[in-house]
Amino acid sequence: MDNVFSNNVKNLEISGIRKFFNKVTKVQGAVSLTLGQPDFPVPENIKNAMISAIHQNKTEYTANAGIPELRQEISNFLSGMDINYLLDEIVVTVGGSEALMCAFAAFLNPGDKVLVASPAYPAYESCVKLFGGEVVNYNLNSDFTIDFENLSKLINEENPKLLVVSYPSNPTGATLSQEERDKLFQLLKEKDIYIISDEIYSSLCYENYYSLAQIHELRDRVVLVSGFSKMFSMTGLRIGYLCASKYIMDNIMKVHQYNVSCAASISQWGAYAGLRWSMNDVNNMKIEFEKRKEYVYKRLSEMGMDVTLPKGAFYIFPSISKFSMSSEEFCNRLLYEGKVAVVPGSAFGAGGEGFIRISYSYSLEVLKEGLDRMEKWINDLNKTEPV
Ligand code: PMP
């Protein structure tokens, strides 16, 4: 029976993040710090724009690339970060997820190699496998910056077609510094490699923003993937976008068109209103996330965890190596004994082993309760199993 399915699909794993989230729902009274979903309501302007779009019957197919009004706003928004794409270099997608899928579909032939950091967001590896590509993992340093020696070696030895970079990072919370961006440019400028840059957390960067899409000489080889799930706290409305130079876009559009025709019209009008009138809300959410980041970092440090201060997104990725358990065992025990759910680092690839991912997209009250329980569980553990 199993051989009716595509080998590429059979070889895919269900996301480790979802697997763990599903476990939590079965543990009564457990606090979940697993999901990457902001807990804020959708900004009022977005809600109102969607309601009035329904009343105005804006419910037909839009252009495949999305409504020009939204693409223009995306273009303006990006130019504020020194990233310049014209209207026909932007396609509105069904979340960043569809943008990623379209990008990999457009580039990959079976056997093509793709450089992906380890740890990284799990969808990259799954998309690559779906199209018969081969993932080659590059290493990160202990502070989650790129191990350039390793990356440079892999570029020279493996002949990769694509490089995936993602900043601010899920799961590590690292951002791209100016120095790293420029070093990447030096490494890539003479090479025939295309870059998929997932910047879905760009609005949640607690420092200056740097992107490979800012570099003029690389721009024609960069595919920028982003979206509004996190920025406007509208995960279920499924709006993302992809930017690329025209000759890449022509191929990506073929996939997008046959995949979805267009993103949902009502949600597109919502995102348009968000960019026009809700940037204040985005800023307020960022201020709140920053408070939560400081709180979670302080609490984990006080527990004696070995932890790097995140610079973006809403994840923190402490090391658990001193507990002599795999990340899966640590998270299972923390869930069943301590009643708190966090995601095992191994869900983000081999490089995530020895870490756990805590999402701070939850309220301070929920974070406090989760961290109190975690602290108690670790203290009890230290009494019975000294680390
Ligand atoms: N990229 C990264 C790094 C993510 O964390 C997510 C969502 N968890 C996505 C892309 C996709 O998000 P969406 O499809 O909701 O836009």
Side-chain angles (χ1 to χ4, degrees):
M1 185 62 186
D2 229 22
N3 57 12
V4 296
F5 299 111
S6 140
N7 289 333
N8 291 347
V9 171
K10 270 192 299 186
N11 292 337
L12 290 188
E13 285 253 7
I14 295 295
S15 153
I17 310 172
R18 277 279 161 188
K19 259 196 222 162
F20 226 81
F21 177 73
N22 293 342
K23 267 191 200 175
V24 190
T25 53
K26 297 191 186 100
V27 179
Q28 242 199 345
V31 172
S32 171
L33 305 180
T34 53
L35 285 188
Q37 171 155 274
D39 63 329
F40 301 102
V42 174
E44 281 304 311
N45 290 325
I46 298 182
K47 286 186 191 167
N48 292 336
M50 290 196 298
I51 292 166
S52 78
I54 292 175
H55 287 311
Q56 290 168 35
N57 296 316
K58 291 180 171 169
T59 50
E60 297 175 331
Y61 289 124
T62 70
N64 294 137
I67 54 172
E69 291 88 343
L70 174 55
R71 285 184 284 142
Q72 185 58 57
E73 286 305 320
I74 293 171
S75 175
N76 298 348
F77 167 69
L78 291 175
S79 66
M81 294 188 287
D82 206 16
I83 297 174
N84 297 299
Y85 288 99
L86 301 170
L87 230 60
D88 61 357
E89 297 173 316
I90 298 172
V91 55
V92 179
T93 56
V94 181
S97 303
E98 196 235 336
L100 285 172
M101 195 66 90
C102 287
F104 287 112
F107 277 101
L108 290 181
N109 285 314
D112 281 345
K113 291 184 177 174
V114 182
L115 288 166
V116 178
S118 186
Y121 180 54
Y124 311 137
E125 178 162 343
S126 299
C127 288
V128 171
K129 284 184 177 165
L130 191 58
F131 299 109
E134 191 188 318
V135 169
V136 178
N137 282 132
Y138 60 93
N139 299 336
L140 302 180
N141 299 314
S142 60
D143 61 353
F144 308 129
T145 54
I146 294 170
D147 176 346
F148 275 96
E149 205 178 305
N150 174 250
L151 182 62
S152 162
K153 183 168 166 282
L154 293 173
I155 286 176
N156 291 326
E157 290 176 2
E158 299 283 346
N159 191 26
K161 185 184 238 181
L162 297 174
L163 166 69
V164 179
V165 287
S166 178
Y167 294 102
S169 159
N170 173 8
T172 69
T175 54
L176 190 69
S177 68
Q178 184 173 20
E179 191 194 347
E180 278 182 293
R181 181 199 66 179
D182 296 345
K183 247 170 132 172
L184 272 174
F185 169 52
Q186 292 306 323
L187 197 60
L188 295 166
K189 68 176 178 187
E190 308 293 340
K191 303 282 193 291
D192 194 17
I193 298 175
Y194 287 80
I195 301 130
I196 297 186
S197 185
D198 180 350
E199 307 189 9
I200 198 144
Y201 295 97
S202 64
S203 63
L204 282 173
C205 184
Y206 311 118
E207 307 205 328
N208 287 340
Y209 197 70
Y210 297 102
S211 158
L212 283 177
Q214 293 163 334
I215 300 202
H216 190 71
E217 293 91 322
L218 279 185
R219 190 187 166 280
D220 284 353
R221 286 195 274 137
V222 170
V223 176
L224 189 157
V225 168
S226 195
F228 301 112
S229 287
K230 323 287 171 170
M231 181 170 166
F232 293 138
S233 189
M234 50 183 256
T235 49
L237 294 173
R238 313 305 304 127
I239 292 287
Y241 59 92
L242 179 153
C243 309
S245 54
K246 185 77 171 60
Y247 80 107
I248 298 179
M249 188 57 92
D250 288 345
N251 288 282
I252 283 178
M253 281 305 291
K254 292 184 215 167
V255 187
H256 172 71
Q257 178 182 107
Y258 291 116
N259 193 16
V260 296
S261 291
C262 65
S265 57
I266 299 300
S267 302
Q268 292 191 53
W269 284 109
Y272 164 75
L275 285 170
R276 291 227 46 181
W277 300 296
S278 297
M279 292 314 285
N280 237 354
D281 297 288
V282 174
N283 202 38
N284 291 339
M285 288 190 256
K286 181 172 154 183
I287 291 169
E288 190 56 35
F289 279 125
E290 215 164 349
K291 278 189 215 153
R292 296 175 184 185
K293 175 197 71 169
E294 295 298 333
Y295 175 72
V296 175
Y297 176 74
K298 182 166 165 281
R299 288 294 307 268
L300 292 171
S301 305
E302 284 166 2
M303 284 179 219
M305 301 284 275
D306 182 5
V307 59
T308 303
L309 182 71
K311 294 177 178 164
F314 39 59
Y315 306 105
I316 192 160
F317 205 57
S319 164
I320 49 138
S321 57
K322 68 176 180 184
F323 292 93
S324 325
M325 288 181 227
S326 70
S327 59
E328 181 94 22
E329 189 191 350
F330 184 95
C331 292
N332 270 320
R333 287 190 58 185
L334 179 59
L335 174 61
Y336 291 107
E337 297 167 15
K339 303 275 188 280
V340 190
V342 299
V343 182
S346 54
F348 304 92
E353 187 47 87
F355 295 86
I356 55 171
R357 189 195 76 171
I358 299 175
S359 164
Y360 54 89
S361 66
Y362 295 87
S363 70
L364 275 173
E365 293 72 47
V366 174
L367 289 172
K368 180 175 183 311
E369 179 61 29
L371 291 164
D372 285 349
R373 290 184 190 193
M374 188 166 160
E375 185 167 32
K376 181 172 178 317
W377 179 75
I378 288 175
N379 286 341
D380 291 348
L381 200 66
N382 288 345
K383 279 178 213 149
T384 48
E385 302 167 33
V387 289

Short mmCIF file of all heavy atoms in Angstrom, two decimals, residues 41-81:
data_model
loop_
_atom_site.label_atom_id
_atom_site.label_comp_id
_atom_site.label_asym_id
_atom_site.label_seq_id
_atom_site.Cartn_x
_atom_site.Cartn_y
_atom_site.Cartn_z
N PRO A 41 -4.47 40.53 19.40
CA PRO A 41 -5.53 40.50 18.40
C PRO A 41 -5.06 41.18 17.11
O PRO A 41 -4.14 42.00 17.14
CB PRO A 41 -6.66 41.30 19.06
CG PRO A 41 -6.00 42.16 20.08
CD PRO A 41 -4.73 41.48 20.50
N VAL A 42 -5.70 40.85 16.01
CA VAL A 42 -5.39 41.52 14.74
C VAL A 42 -5.71 43.00 14.89
O VAL A 42 -6.77 43.35 15.42
CB VAL A 42 -6.24 40.90 13.61
CG1 VAL A 42 -6.06 41.64 12.30
CG2 VAL A 42 -5.92 39.43 13.44
N PRO A 43 -4.82 43.91 14.47
CA PRO A 43 -5.10 45.34 14.60
C PRO A 43 -6.45 45.74 14.00
O PRO A 43 -6.85 45.21 12.96
CB PRO A 43 -3.94 46.00 13.84
CG PRO A 43 -2.82 45.00 13.94
CD PRO A 43 -3.48 43.65 13.93
N GLU A 44 -7.12 46.67 14.70
CA GLU A 44 -8.48 47.09 14.31
C GLU A 44 -8.58 47.50 12.85
O GLU A 44 -9.54 47.16 12.16
CB GLU A 44 -8.95 48.26 15.19
CG GLU A 44 -9.43 47.87 16.58
CD GLU A 44 -10.54 46.84 16.58
OE1 GLU A 44 -11.54 47.02 15.85
OE2 GLU A 44 -10.41 45.83 17.31
N ASN A 45 -7.60 48.28 12.37
CA ASN A 45 -7.68 48.76 10.98
C ASN A 45 -7.73 47.60 9.99
O ASN A 45 -8.38 47.69 8.94
CB ASN A 45 -6.44 49.61 10.64
CG ASN A 45 -6.45 50.93 11.38
OD1 ASN A 45 -7.51 51.50 11.59
ND2 ASN A 45 -5.28 51.40 11.79
N ILE A 46 -7.04 46.55 10.32
CA ILE A 46 -7.02 45.37 9.44
C ILE A 46 -8.38 44.69 9.47
O ILE A 46 -8.96 44.35 8.43
CB ILE A 46 -5.87 44.41 9.85
CG1 ILE A 46 -4.52 45.11 9.70
CG2 ILE A 46 -5.95 43.11 9.06
CD1 ILE A 46 -3.31 44.27 10.04
N LYS A 47 -8.90 44.52 10.69
CA LYS A 47 -10.23 43.89 10.81
C LYS A 47 -11.25 44.69 10.00
O LYS A 47 -12.02 44.13 9.22
CB LYS A 47 -10.68 43.88 12.27
CG LYS A 47 -9.99 42.87 13.14
CD LYS A 47 -10.66 42.91 14.52
CE LYS A 47 -9.89 42.13 15.54
NZ LYS A 47 -10.32 42.40 16.91
N ASN A 48 -11.25 46.02 10.22
CA ASN A 48 -12.27 46.86 9.55
C ASN A 48 -12.12 46.82 8.04
O ASN A 48 -13.11 46.77 7.31
CB ASN A 48 -12.16 48.31 10.05
CG ASN A 48 -12.59 48.41 11.50
OD1 ASN A 48 -13.34 47.56 11.98
ND2 ASN A 48 -12.11 49.42 12.22
N ALA A 49 -10.88 46.81 7.57
CA ALA A 49 -10.66 46.78 6.12
C ALA A 49 -11.19 45.47 5.53
O ALA A 49 -11.76 45.45 4.43
CB ALA A 49 -9.17 46.93 5.81
N MET A 50 -11.03 44.39 6.27
CA MET A 50 -11.51 43.10 5.75
C MET A 50 -13.03 43.06 5.75
O MET A 50 -13.65 42.55 4.81
CB MET A 50 -10.92 41.95 6.57
CG MET A 50 -9.43 41.80 6.32
SD MET A 50 -8.79 40.23 6.88
CE MET A 50 -9.12 40.35 8.61
N ILE A 51 -13.63 43.61 6.80
CA ILE A 51 -15.10 43.63 6.87
C ILE A 51 -15.65 44.47 5.72
O ILE A 51 -16.55 44.07 5.00
CB ILE A 51 -15.58 44.16 8.25
CG1 ILE A 51 -15.20 43.15 9.33
CG2 ILE A 51 -17.08 44.43 8.24
CD1 ILE A 51 -15.30 43.68 10.75
N SER A 52 -15.03 45.64 5.51
CA SER A 52 -15.59 46.48 4.43
C SER A 52 -15.27 45.87 3.06
O SER A 52 -16.07 46.02 2.13
CB SER A 52 -15.18 47.94 4.58
OG SER A 52 -13.90 48.13 4.14
N ALA A 53 -14.19 45.12 2.93
CA ALA A 53 -13.92 44.44 1.65
C ALA A 53 -15.01 43.41 1.36
O ALA A 53 -15.45 43.25 0.21
CB ALA A 53 -12.55 43.77 1.68
N ILE A 54 -15.48 42.76 2.39
CA ILE A 54 -16.58 41.79 2.20
C ILE A 54 -17.85 42.54 1.76
O ILE A 54 -18.49 42.18 0.77
CB ILE A 54 -16.86 41.00 3.49
CG1 ILE A 54 -15.67 40.08 3.81
CG2 ILE A 54 -18.15 40.17 3.36
CD1 ILE A 54 -15.78 39.35 5.12
N HIS A 55 -18.15 43.64 2.49
CA HIS A 55 -19.36 44.40 2.13
C HIS A 55 -19.28 44.96 0.70
O HIS A 55 -20.29 45.08 0.02
CB HIS A 55 -19.59 45.54 3.13
CG HIS A 55 -20.07 45.02 4.46
ND1 HIS A 55 -21.10 44.13 4.57
CD2 HIS A 55 -19.64 45.27 5.72
CE1 HIS A 55 -21.31 43.84 5.85
NE2 HIS A 55 -20.42 44.51 6.57
N GLN A 56 -18.06 45.28 0.27
CA GLN A 56 -17.91 45.82 -1.08
C GLN A 56 -17.76 44.72 -2.13
O GLN A 56 -17.37 44.97 -3.27
CB GLN A 56 -16.69 46.74 -1.13
CG GLN A 56 -16.88 48.04 -0.37
CD GLN A 56 -15.54 48.77 -0.21
OE1 GLN A 56 -14.68 48.73 -1.08
NE2 GLN A 56 -15.35 49.43 0.92
N ASN A 57 -18.00 43.48 -1.72
CA ASN A 57 -17.91 42.33 -2.63
C ASN A 57 -16.54 42.17 -3.29
O ASN A 57 -16.45 41.76 -4.44
CB ASN A 57 -19.00 42.41 -3.72
CG ASN A 57 -20.38 42.31 -3.10
OD1 ASN A 57 -20.62 41.46 -2.23
ND2 ASN A 57 -21.28 43.19 -3.50
N LYS A 58 -15.51 42.48 -2.54
CA LYS A 58 -14.16 42.28 -3.11
C LYS A 58 -13.75 40.83 -2.91
O LYS A 58 -12.74 40.53 -2.26
CB LYS A 58 -13.17 43.22 -2.43
CG LYS A 58 -13.41 44.69 -2.78
CD LYS A 58 -12.41 45.56 -2.08
CE LYS A 58 -12.45 46.99 -2.57
NZ LYS A 58 -11.66 47.89 -1.73
N THR A 59 -14.57 39.95 -3.44
CA THR A 59 -14.38 38.53 -3.14
C THR A 59 -14.01 37.73 -4.39
O THR A 59 -14.07 36.49 -4.38
CB THR A 59 -15.68 37.94 -2.53
OG1 THR A 59 -16.77 38.31 -3.37
CG2 THR A 59 -15.92 38.47 -1.13
N GLU A 60 -13.62 38.44 -5.46
CA GLU A 60 -13.29 37.71 -6.68
C GLU A 60 -11.80 37.36 -6.69
O GLU A 60 -11.04 37.85 -5.86
CB GLU A 60 -13.63 38.58 -7.89
CG GLU A 60 -15.12 38.86 -7.95
CD GLU A 60 -15.48 39.82 -9.06
OE1 GLU A 60 -14.62 40.67 -9.41
OE2 GLU A 60 -16.60 39.73 -9.58
N TYR A 61 -11.42 36.53 -7.68
CA TYR A 61 -9.98 36.30 -7.86
C TYR A 61 -9.30 37.66 -8.03
O TYR A 61 -9.85 38.55 -8.68
CB TYR A 61 -9.70 35.55 -9.17
CG TYR A 61 -10.12 34.11 -9.21
CD1 TYR A 61 -10.99 33.66 -10.20
CD2 TYR A 61 -9.60 33.18 -8.32
CE1 TYR A 61 -11.35 32.32 -10.30
CE2 TYR A 61 -9.96 31.84 -8.40
CZ TYR A 61 -10.84 31.42 -9.40
OH TYR A 61 -11.19 30.11 -9.49
N THR A 62 -8.11 37.78 -7.50
CA THR A 62 -7.34 38.99 -7.80
C THR A 62 -6.32 38.61 -8.89
O THR A 62 -6.29 37.46 -9.33
CB THR A 62 -6.56 39.49 -6.56
OG1 THR A 62 -5.51 38.56 -6.27
CG2 THR A 62 -7.48 39.63 -5.35
N ALA A 63 -5.51 39.56 -9.31
CA ALA A 63 -4.40 39.22 -10.21
C ALA A 63 -3.59 38.12 -9.53
O ALA A 63 -3.54 38.06 -8.30
CB ALA A 63 -3.53 40.45 -10.42
N ASN A 64 -2.96 37.24 -10.33
CA ASN A 64 -2.16 36.16 -9.73
C ASN A 64 -1.14 36.70 -8.73
O ASN A 64 -0.93 36.14 -7.67
CB ASN A 64 -1.39 35.38 -10.81
CG ASN A 64 -2.30 34.61 -11.75
OD1 ASN A 64 -2.10 34.60 -12.96
ND2 ASN A 64 -3.32 33.97 -11.20
N ALA A 65 -0.55 37.81 -9.08
CA ALA A 65 0.52 38.36 -8.22
C ALA A 65 -0.03 39.09 -6.99
O ALA A 65 0.72 39.44 -6.09
CB ALA A 65 1.40 39.32 -9.02
N GLY A 66 -1.35 39.29 -6.96
CA GLY A 66 -1.94 40.01 -5.83
C GLY A 66 -2.38 41.40 -6.24
O GLY A 66 -2.01 41.90 -7.31
N ILE A 67 -3.17 42.06 -5.38
CA ILE A 67 -3.69 43.40 -5.74
C ILE A 67 -2.52 44.40 -5.80
O ILE A 67 -1.63 44.37 -4.94
CB ILE A 67 -4.77 43.88 -4.74
CG1 ILE A 67 -4.28 43.84 -3.28
CG2 ILE A 67 -6.05 43.06 -4.87
CD1 ILE A 67 -5.23 44.47 -2.27
N PRO A 68 -2.51 45.24 -6.83
CA PRO A 68 -1.40 46.19 -6.99
C PRO A 68 -1.25 47.11 -5.78
O PRO A 68 -0.13 47.47 -5.41
CB PRO A 68 -1.75 47.00 -8.24
CG PRO A 68 -2.97 46.40 -8.81
CD PRO A 68 -3.49 45.32 -7.92
N GLU A 69 -2.38 47.46 -5.14
CA GLU A 69 -2.32 48.36 -3.97
C GLU A 69 -1.44 47.76 -2.88
O GLU A 69 -0.62 48.46 -2.27
CB GLU A 69 -3.73 48.59 -3.41
CG GLU A 69 -4.65 49.42 -4.28
CD GLU A 69 -5.42 48.59 -5.31
OE1 GLU A 69 -5.02 47.43 -5.57
OE2 GLU A 69 -6.41 49.10 -5.86
N LEU A 70 -1.61 46.47 -2.63
CA LEU A 70 -0.81 45.82 -1.58
C LEU A 70 0.65 45.71 -2.02
O LEU A 70 1.57 45.97 -1.24
CB LEU A 70 -1.39 44.43 -1.26
CG LEU A 70 -0.56 43.57 -0.29
CD1 LEU A 70 -0.29 44.29 1.02
CD2 LEU A 70 -1.26 42.22 -0.02
N ARG A 71 0.86 45.33 -3.29
CA ARG A 71 2.26 45.19 -3.75
C ARG A 71 2.99 46.53 -3.68
O ARG A 71 4.16 46.59 -3.34
CB ARG A 71 2.28 44.60 -5.16
CG ARG A 71 1.96 43.11 -5.11
CD ARG A 71 2.08 42.47 -6.46
NE ARG A 71 0.96 42.78 -7.31
CZ ARG A 71 1.04 43.02 -8.62
NH1 ARG A 71 2.20 43.01 -9.23
NH2 ARG A 71 -0.04 43.29 -9.32
N GLN A 72 2.26 47.60 -3.98
CA GLN A 72 2.89 48.93 -3.88
C GLN A 72 3.27 49.23 -2.43
O GLN A 72 4.36 49.74 -2.16
CB GLN A 72 1.93 50.00 -4.41
CG GLN A 72 2.53 51.40 -4.47
CD GLN A 72 3.79 51.44 -5.35
OE1 GLN A 72 3.75 51.06 -6.52
NE2 GLN A 72 4.93 51.84 -4.77
N GLU A 73 2.38 48.88 -1.50
CA GLU A 73 2.68 49.13 -0.08
C GLU A 73 3.86 48.28 0.39
O GLU A 73 4.68 48.71 1.18
CB GLU A 73 1.45 48.85 0.80
CG GLU A 73 0.37 49.90 0.70
CD GLU A 73 0.85 51.31 1.00
OE1 GLU A 73 1.66 51.49 1.92
OE2 GLU A 73 0.41 52.24 0.28
N ILE A 74 3.93 47.04 -0.11
CA ILE A 74 5.05 46.16 0.25
C ILE A 74 6.35 46.79 -0.27
O ILE A 74 7.37 46.86 0.43
CB ILE A 74 4.86 44.73 -0.32
CG1 ILE A 74 3.68 44.05 0.38
CG2 ILE A 74 6.13 43.90 -0.17
CD1 ILE A 74 3.25 42.71 -0.23
N SER A 75 6.29 47.27 -1.51
CA SER A 75 7.47 47.91 -2.12
C SER A 75 7.92 49.11 -1.27
O SER A 75 9.10 49.28 -0.96
CB SER A 75 7.12 48.33 -3.55
OG SER A 75 8.16 49.04 -4.12
N ASN A 76 6.95 49.93 -0.85
CA ASN A 76 7.28 51.12 -0.02
C ASN A 76 7.86 50.69 1.32
O ASN A 76 8.84 51.26 1.80
CB ASN A 76 6.03 51.95 0.28
CG ASN A 76 5.40 52.51 -0.97
OD1 ASN A 76 5.99 52.46 -2.05
ND2 ASN A 76 4.17 53.00 -0.84
N PHE A 77 7.24 49.68 1.93
CA PHE A 77 7.68 49.20 3.24
C PHE A 77 9.13 48.69 3.16
O PHE A 77 9.97 49.04 4.00
CB PHE A 77 6.72 48.09 3.70
CG PHE A 77 7.21 47.29 4.86
CD1 PHE A 77 7.30 47.85 6.13
CD2 PHE A 77 7.57 45.95 4.71
CE1 PHE A 77 7.75 47.11 7.22
CE2 PHE A 77 8.02 45.20 5.79
CZ PHE A 77 8.11 45.78 7.05
N LEU A 78 9.41 47.91 2.12
CA LEU A 78 10.76 47.36 2.01
C LEU A 78 11.79 48.45 1.73
O LEU A 78 12.93 48.38 2.22
CB LEU A 78 10.82 46.30 0.89
CG LEU A 78 10.06 45.00 1.18
CD1 LEU A 78 10.09 44.09 -0.05
CD2 LEU A 78 10.66 44.26 2.37
N SER A 79 11.39 49.47 0.98
CA SER A 79 12.36 50.52 0.67
C SER A 79 12.81 51.23 1.95
O SER A 79 13.94 51.73 2.03
CB SER A 79 11.85 51.48 -0.40
OG SER A 79 10.77 52.19 0.13
N GLY A 80 11.94 51.22 2.96
CA GLY A 80 12.33 51.78 4.27
C GLY A 80 13.46 51.00 4.92
O GLY A 80 14.09 51.47 5.86
N MET A 81 13.69 49.76 4.46
CA MET A 81 14.80 48.96 4.99
C MET A 81 15.92 48.86 3.96
O MET A 81 16.75 47.94 4.01
CB MET A 81 14.30 47.56 5.36
CG MET A 81 13.31 47.60 6.51
SD MET A 81 12.87 45.95 7.10
CE MET A 81 11.85 45.38 5.78
#
